[in-house]
Amino acid sequence: SQSSADESGTLVVVAELSAVSGKAVTVPFTLSGTATEGVDYSVSPSSISIPIGATTGSATISITTDAIDESNETAILTIGTPTNATVGSTNIHTATITDDDTFGVTVLESGSTTHVTEGSSATDTYTVVLNSEPTDAVTITLTPDAQVSADNTTLIFNSSNWNVVQT
């Protein structure tokens, strides 16, 4: 088993023979786990090859960077029946993809100051954006009072507009 430091980079899975073989060995594998192949990661090659005279071969798990705040996920590689070899006692490899995204909201004033004179008709504008992609819709409700008004009191973010500034 191994873990990534964050949601990027690669993890290498190594298959090892107990002795040098006079035949080429092909080690098939299947993938499972909580991570989704093609979305959270990809694996290359699709089977592990150990050449004649060698004792190891490898497959590389390439982690896909995303901006979704989610739990850590696993990619589980289970060894199938190899050609010209026998499966040993370790036939499952678990790779944990460590999530590095944090949820949050960024609120910024549009100008260099947020000061307005009380009783004047001066205005100021704020922009709001999410810090990471949500898995469900996020609604932010603004509640003005007697001293503050808002043109838009409901901001709705989802997976397609989470990084688009709203005012």
mmCIF file with all atom_site columns, all heavy atoms in Angstrom, residues 142-158:
data_model
loop_
_atom_site.group_PDB
_atom_site.id
_atom_site.type_symbol
_atom_site.label_atom_id
_atom_site.label_alt_id
_atom_site.label_comp_id
_atom_site.label_asym_id
_atom_site.label_entity_id
_atom_site.label_seq_id
_atom_site.pdbx_PDB_ins_code
_atom_site.Cartn_x
_atom_site.Cartn_y
_atom_site.Cartn_z
_atom_site.occupancy
_atom_site.B_iso_or_equiv
_atom_site.pdbx_formal_charge
_atom_site.auth_seq_id
_atom_site.auth_comp_id
_atom_site.auth_asym_id
_atom_site.auth_atom_id
_atom_site.pdbx_PDB_model_num
ATOM 1   N N   . LEU A 1 142 ? -27.817 36.231 1.327   1.00 0.00 ? 142 LEU A N   1
ATOM 2   C CA  . LEU A 1 142 ? -27.429 37.494 1.954   1.00 0.00 ? 142 LEU A CA  1
ATOM 3   C C   . LEU A 1 142 ? -28.661 38.104 2.608   1.00 0.00 ? 142 LEU A C   1
ATOM 4   O O   . LEU A 1 142 ? -29.736 38.144 2.004   1.00 0.00 ? 142 LEU A O   1
ATOM 5   C CB  . LEU A 1 142 ? -26.869 38.449 0.905   1.00 0.00 ? 142 LEU A CB  1
ATOM 6   C CG  . LEU A 1 142 ? -25.730 37.887 0.042   1.00 0.00 ? 142 LEU A CG  1
ATOM 7   C CD1 . LEU A 1 142 ? -25.384 38.865 -1.070  1.00 0.00 ? 142 LEU A CD1 1
ATOM 8   C CD2 . LEU A 1 142 ? -24.518 37.589 0.895   1.00 0.00 ? 142 LEU A CD2 1
ATOM 9   N N   . THR A 1 143 ? -28.490 38.566 3.830   1.00 0.00 ? 143 THR A N   1
ATOM 10  C CA  . THR A 1 143 ? -29.618 39.144 4.559   1.00 0.00 ? 143 THR A CA  1
ATOM 11  C C   . THR A 1 143 ? -29.317 40.607 4.867   1.00 0.00 ? 143 THR A C   1
ATOM 12  O O   . THR A 1 143 ? -28.630 40.919 5.837   1.00 0.00 ? 143 THR A O   1
ATOM 13  C CB  . THR A 1 143 ? -29.878 38.372 5.869   1.00 0.00 ? 143 THR A CB  1
ATOM 14  O OG1 . THR A 1 143 ? -29.997 36.986 5.557   1.00 0.00 ? 143 THR A OG1 1
ATOM 15  C CG2 . THR A 1 143 ? -31.142 38.858 6.553   1.00 0.00 ? 143 THR A CG2 1
ATOM 16  N N   . PRO A 1 144 ? -29.796 41.528 4.009   1.00 0.00 ? 144 PRO A N   1
ATOM 17  C CA  . PRO A 1 144 ? -29.565 42.958 4.259   1.00 0.00 ? 144 PRO A CA  1
ATOM 18  C C   . PRO A 1 144 ? -30.345 43.428 5.486   1.00 0.00 ? 144 PRO A C   1
ATOM 19  O O   . PRO A 1 144 ? -31.311 42.793 5.912   1.00 0.00 ? 144 PRO A O   1
ATOM 20  C CB  . PRO A 1 144 ? -30.090 43.641 2.997   1.00 0.00 ? 144 PRO A CB  1
ATOM 21  C CG  . PRO A 1 144 ? -30.480 42.573 2.053   1.00 0.00 ? 144 PRO A CG  1
ATOM 22  C CD  . PRO A 1 144 ? -30.523 41.282 2.794   1.00 0.00 ? 144 PRO A CD  1
ATOM 23  N N   . ASP A 1 145 ? -29.898 44.544 6.045   1.00 0.00 ? 145 ASP A N   1
ATOM 24  C CA  . ASP A 1 145 ? -30.626 45.133 7.170   1.00 0.00 ? 145 ASP A CA  1
ATOM 25  C C   . ASP A 1 145 ? -31.017 46.564 6.807   1.00 0.00 ? 145 ASP A C   1
ATOM 26  O O   . ASP A 1 145 ? -30.957 46.943 5.642   1.00 0.00 ? 145 ASP A O   1
ATOM 27  C CB  . ASP A 1 145 ? -29.791 45.061 8.453   1.00 0.00 ? 145 ASP A CB  1
ATOM 28  C CG  . ASP A 1 145 ? -28.477 45.817 8.354   1.00 0.00 ? 145 ASP A CG  1
ATOM 29  O OD1 . ASP A 1 145 ? -28.321 46.650 7.446   1.00 0.00 ? 145 ASP A OD1 1
ATOM 30  O OD2 . ASP A 1 145 ? -27.593 45.569 9.200   1.00 0.00 ? 145 ASP A OD2 1
ATOM 31  N N   . ALA A 1 146 ? -31.362 47.371 7.794   1.00 0.00 ? 146 ALA A N   1
ATOM 32  C CA  . ALA A 1 146 ? -31.829 48.734 7.530   1.00 0.00 ? 146 ALA A CA  1
ATOM 33  C C   . ALA A 1 146 ? -30.733 49.619 6.947   1.00 0.00 ? 146 ALA A C   1
ATOM 34  O O   . ALA A 1 146 ? -31.020 50.607 6.274   1.00 0.00 ? 146 ALA A O   1
ATOM 35  C CB  . ALA A 1 146 ? -32.363 49.354 8.817   1.00 0.00 ? 146 ALA A CB  1
ATOM 36  N N   . GLN A 1 147 ? -29.470 49.296 7.189   1.00 0.00 ? 147 GLN A N   1
ATOM 37  C CA  . GLN A 1 147 ? -28.375 50.133 6.701   1.00 0.00 ? 147 GLN A CA  1
ATOM 38  C C   . GLN A 1 147 ? -27.735 49.604 5.413   1.00 0.00 ? 147 GLN A C   1
ATOM 39  O O   . GLN A 1 147 ? -26.940 50.297 4.796   1.00 0.00 ? 147 GLN A O   1
ATOM 40  C CB  . GLN A 1 147 ? -27.292 50.237 7.781   1.00 0.00 ? 147 GLN A CB  1
ATOM 41  C CG  . GLN A 1 147 ? -27.765 50.968 9.012   1.00 0.00 ? 147 GLN A CG  1
ATOM 42  C CD  . GLN A 1 147 ? -26.643 51.115 10.029  1.00 0.00 ? 147 GLN A CD  1
ATOM 43  O OE1 . GLN A 1 147 ? -25.658 50.395 9.993   1.00 0.00 ? 147 GLN A OE1 1
ATOM 44  N NE2 . GLN A 1 147 ? -26.809 52.056 10.937  1.00 0.00 ? 147 GLN A NE2 1
ATOM 45  N N   . VAL A 1 148 ? -28.074 48.384 5.049   1.00 0.00 ? 148 VAL A N   1
ATOM 46  C CA  . VAL A 1 148 ? -27.440 47.770 3.886   1.00 0.00 ? 148 VAL A CA  1
ATOM 47  C C   . VAL A 1 148 ? -28.508 47.200 2.962   1.00 0.00 ? 148 VAL A C   1
ATOM 48  O O   . VAL A 1 148 ? -29.472 46.594 3.432   1.00 0.00 ? 148 VAL A O   1
ATOM 49  C CB  . VAL A 1 148 ? -26.482 46.631 4.327   1.00 0.00 ? 148 VAL A CB  1
ATOM 50  C CG1 . VAL A 1 148 ? -25.879 45.940 3.123   1.00 0.00 ? 148 VAL A CG1 1
ATOM 51  C CG2 . VAL A 1 148 ? -25.404 47.170 5.250   1.00 0.00 ? 148 VAL A CG2 1
ATOM 52  N N   . SER A 1 149 ? -28.325 47.379 1.681   1.00 0.00 ? 149 SER A N   1
ATOM 53  C CA  . SER A 1 149 ? -29.221 46.747 0.718   1.00 0.00 ? 149 SER A CA  1
ATOM 54  C C   . SER A 1 149 ? -28.384 45.873 -0.205  1.00 0.00 ? 149 SER A C   1
ATOM 55  O O   . SER A 1 149 ? -27.174 46.054 -0.322  1.00 0.00 ? 149 SER A O   1
ATOM 56  C CB  . SER A 1 149 ? -29.996 47.797 -0.086  1.00 0.00 ? 149 SER A CB  1
ATOM 57  O OG  . SER A 1 149 ? -29.100 48.549 -0.868  1.00 0.00 ? 149 SER A OG  1
ATOM 58  N N   . ALA A 1 150 ? -29.041 44.947 -0.858  1.00 0.00 ? 150 ALA A N   1
ATOM 59  C CA  . ALA A 1 150 ? -28.339 44.059 -1.790  1.00 0.00 ? 150 ALA A CA  1
ATOM 60  C C   . ALA A 1 150 ? -29.185 43.891 -3.038  1.00 0.00 ? 150 ALA A C   1
ATOM 61  O O   . ALA A 1 150 ? -30.400 43.704 -2.946  1.00 0.00 ? 150 ALA A O   1
ATOM 62  C CB  . ALA A 1 150 ? -28.082 42.714 -1.136  1.00 0.00 ? 150 ALA A CB  1
ATOM 63  N N   . ASP A 1 151 ? -28.550 43.983 -4.196  1.00 0.00 ? 151 ASP A N   1
ATOM 64  C CA  . ASP A 1 151 ? -29.255 43.763 -5.453  1.00 0.00 ? 151 ASP A CA  1
ATOM 65  C C   . ASP A 1 151 ? -29.601 42.289 -5.631  1.00 0.00 ? 151 ASP A C   1
ATOM 66  O O   . ASP A 1 151 ? -30.626 41.951 -6.191  1.00 0.00 ? 151 ASP A O   1
ATOM 67  C CB  . ASP A 1 151 ? -28.403 44.224 -6.640  1.00 0.00 ? 151 ASP A CB  1
ATOM 68  C CG  . ASP A 1 151 ? -28.213 45.727 -6.670  1.00 0.00 ? 151 ASP A CG  1
ATOM 69  O OD1 . ASP A 1 151 ? -29.061 46.453 -6.104  1.00 0.00 ? 151 ASP A OD1 1
ATOM 70  O OD2 . ASP A 1 151 ? -27.211 46.179 -7.248  1.00 0.00 ? 151 ASP A OD2 1
ATOM 71  N N   . ASN A 1 152 ? -28.723 41.435 -5.176  1.00 0.00 ? 152 ASN A N   1
ATOM 72  C CA  . ASN A 1 152 ? -28.918 39.997 -5.331  1.00 0.00 ? 152 ASN A CA  1
ATOM 73  C C   . ASN A 1 152 ? -28.746 39.368 -3.951  1.00 0.00 ? 152 ASN A C   1
ATOM 74  O O   . ASN A 1 152 ? -27.671 39.438 -3.370  1.00 0.00 ? 152 ASN A O   1
ATOM 75  C CB  . ASN A 1 152 ? -27.886 39.447 -6.319  1.00 0.00 ? 152 ASN A CB  1
ATOM 76  C CG  . ASN A 1 152 ? -28.154 38.025 -6.712  1.00 0.00 ? 152 ASN A CG  1
ATOM 77  O OD1 . ASN A 1 152 ? -29.126 37.414 -6.290  1.00 0.00 ? 152 ASN A OD1 1
ATOM 78  N ND2 . ASN A 1 152 ? -27.268 37.467 -7.532  1.00 0.00 ? 152 ASN A ND2 1
ATOM 79  N N   . THR A 1 153 ? -29.787 38.769 -3.419  1.00 0.00 ? 153 THR A N   1
ATOM 80  C CA  . THR A 1 153 ? -29.700 38.209 -2.067  1.00 0.00 ? 153 THR A CA  1
ATOM 81  C C   . THR A 1 153 ? -29.441 36.709 -2.050  1.00 0.00 ? 153 THR A C   1
ATOM 82  O O   . THR A 1 153 ? -29.247 36.132 -0.988  1.00 0.00 ? 153 THR A O   1
ATOM 83  C CB  . THR A 1 153 ? -30.991 38.496 -1.265  1.00 0.00 ? 153 THR A CB  1
ATOM 84  O OG1 . THR A 1 153 ? -32.101 37.945 -1.964  1.00 0.00 ? 153 THR A OG1 1
ATOM 85  C CG2 . THR A 1 153 ? -31.182 39.996 -1.062  1.00 0.00 ? 153 THR A CG2 1
ATOM 86  N N   . THR A 1 154 ? -29.422 36.072 -3.215  1.00 0.00 ? 154 THR A N   1
ATOM 87  C CA  . THR A 1 154 ? -29.150 34.636 -3.271  1.00 0.00 ? 154 THR A CA  1
ATOM 88  C C   . THR A 1 154 ? -28.102 34.356 -4.347  1.00 0.00 ? 154 THR A C   1
ATOM 89  O O   . THR A 1 154 ? -28.272 34.726 -5.503  1.00 0.00 ? 154 THR A O   1
ATOM 90  C CB  . THR A 1 154 ? -30.437 33.839 -3.587  1.00 0.00 ? 154 THR A CB  1
ATOM 91  O OG1 . THR A 1 154 ? -31.428 34.149 -2.612  1.00 0.00 ? 154 THR A OG1 1
ATOM 92  C CG2 . THR A 1 154 ? -30.164 32.348 -3.570  1.00 0.00 ? 154 THR A CG2 1
ATOM 93  N N   . LEU A 1 155 ? -27.031 33.715 -3.924  1.00 0.00 ? 155 LEU A N   1
ATOM 94  C CA  . LEU A 1 155 ? -25.984 33.301 -4.855  1.00 0.00 ? 155 LEU A CA  1
ATOM 95  C C   . LEU A 1 155 ? -25.973 31.780 -4.863  1.00 0.00 ? 155 LEU A C   1
ATOM 96  O O   . LEU A 1 155 ? -25.937 31.158 -3.801  1.00 0.00 ? 155 LEU A O   1
ATOM 97  C CB  . LEU A 1 155 ? -24.619 33.829 -4.414  1.00 0.00 ? 155 LEU A CB  1
ATOM 98  C CG  . LEU A 1 155 ? -24.512 35.340 -4.176  1.00 0.00 ? 155 LEU A CG  1
ATOM 99  C CD1 . LEU A 1 155 ? -23.120 35.686 -3.656  1.00 0.00 ? 155 LEU A CD1 1
ATOM 100 C CD2 . LEU A 1 155 ? -24.803 36.103 -5.455  1.00 0.00 ? 155 LEU A CD2 1
ATOM 101 N N   . ILE A 1 156 ? -26.014 31.183 -6.046  1.00 0.00 ? 156 ILE A N   1
ATOM 102 C CA  . ILE A 1 156 ? -26.038 29.721 -6.156  1.00 0.00 ? 156 ILE A CA  1
ATOM 103 C C   . ILE A 1 156 ? -24.819 29.275 -6.957  1.00 0.00 ? 156 ILE A C   1
ATOM 104 O O   . ILE A 1 156 ? -24.600 29.722 -8.084  1.00 0.00 ? 156 ILE A O   1
ATOM 105 C CB  . ILE A 1 156 ? -27.333 29.224 -6.816  1.00 0.00 ? 156 ILE A CB  1
ATOM 106 C CG1 . ILE A 1 156 ? -28.547 29.653 -5.976  1.00 0.00 ? 156 ILE A CG1 1
ATOM 107 C CG2 . ILE A 1 156 ? -27.302 27.702 -6.970  1.00 0.00 ? 156 ILE A CG2 1
ATOM 108 C CD1 . ILE A 1 156 ? -29.884 29.365 -6.623  1.00 0.00 ? 156 ILE A CD1 1
ATOM 109 N N   . PHE A 1 157 ? -24.039 28.385 -6.345  1.00 0.00 ? 157 PHE A N   1
ATOM 110 C CA  . PHE A 1 157 ? -22.852 27.832 -6.985  1.00 0.00 ? 157 PHE A CA  1
ATOM 111 C C   . PHE A 1 157 ? -23.049 26.333 -7.177  1.00 0.00 ? 157 PHE A C   1
ATOM 112 O O   . PHE A 1 157 ? -23.688 25.672 -6.360  1.00 0.00 ? 157 PHE A O   1
ATOM 113 C CB  . PHE A 1 157 ? -21.603 28.053 -6.120  1.00 0.00 ? 157 PHE A CB  1
ATOM 114 C CG  . PHE A 1 157 ? -21.219 29.499 -5.953  1.00 0.00 ? 157 PHE A CG  1
ATOM 115 C CD1 . PHE A 1 157 ? -21.685 30.229 -4.861  1.00 0.00 ? 157 PHE A CD1 1
ATOM 116 C CD2 . PHE A 1 157 ? -20.406 30.124 -6.870  1.00 0.00 ? 157 PHE A CD2 1
ATOM 117 C CE1 . PHE A 1 157 ? -21.334 31.560 -4.696  1.00 0.00 ? 157 PHE A CE1 1
ATOM 118 C CE2 . PHE A 1 157 ? -20.039 31.453 -6.715  1.00 0.00 ? 157 PHE A CE2 1
ATOM 119 C CZ  . PHE A 1 157 ? -20.509 32.176 -5.621  1.00 0.00 ? 157 PHE A CZ  1
ATOM 120 N N   . ASN A 1 158 ? -22.491 25.807 -8.258  1.00 0.00 ? 158 ASN A N   1
ATOM 121 C CA  . ASN A 1 158 ? -22.531 24.361 -8.491  1.00 0.00 ? 158 ASN A CA  1
ATOM 122 C C   . ASN A 1 158 ? -21.219 23.947 -9.152  1.00 0.00 ? 158 ASN A C   1
ATOM 123 O O   . ASN A 1 158 ? -20.292 24.750 -9.246  1.00 0.00 ? 158 ASN A O   1
ATOM 124 C CB  . ASN A 1 158 ? -23.753 23.977 -9.339  1.00 0.00 ? 158 ASN A CB  1
ATOM 125 C CG  . ASN A 1 158 ? -23.801 24.750 -10.637 1.00 0.00 ? 158 ASN A CG  1
ATOM 126 O OD1 . ASN A 1 158 ? -22.795 24.884 -11.326 1.00 0.00 ? 158 ASN A OD1 1
ATOM 127 N ND2 . ASN A 1 158 ? -24.968 25.288 -10.976 1.00 0.00 ? 158 ASN A ND2 1
#
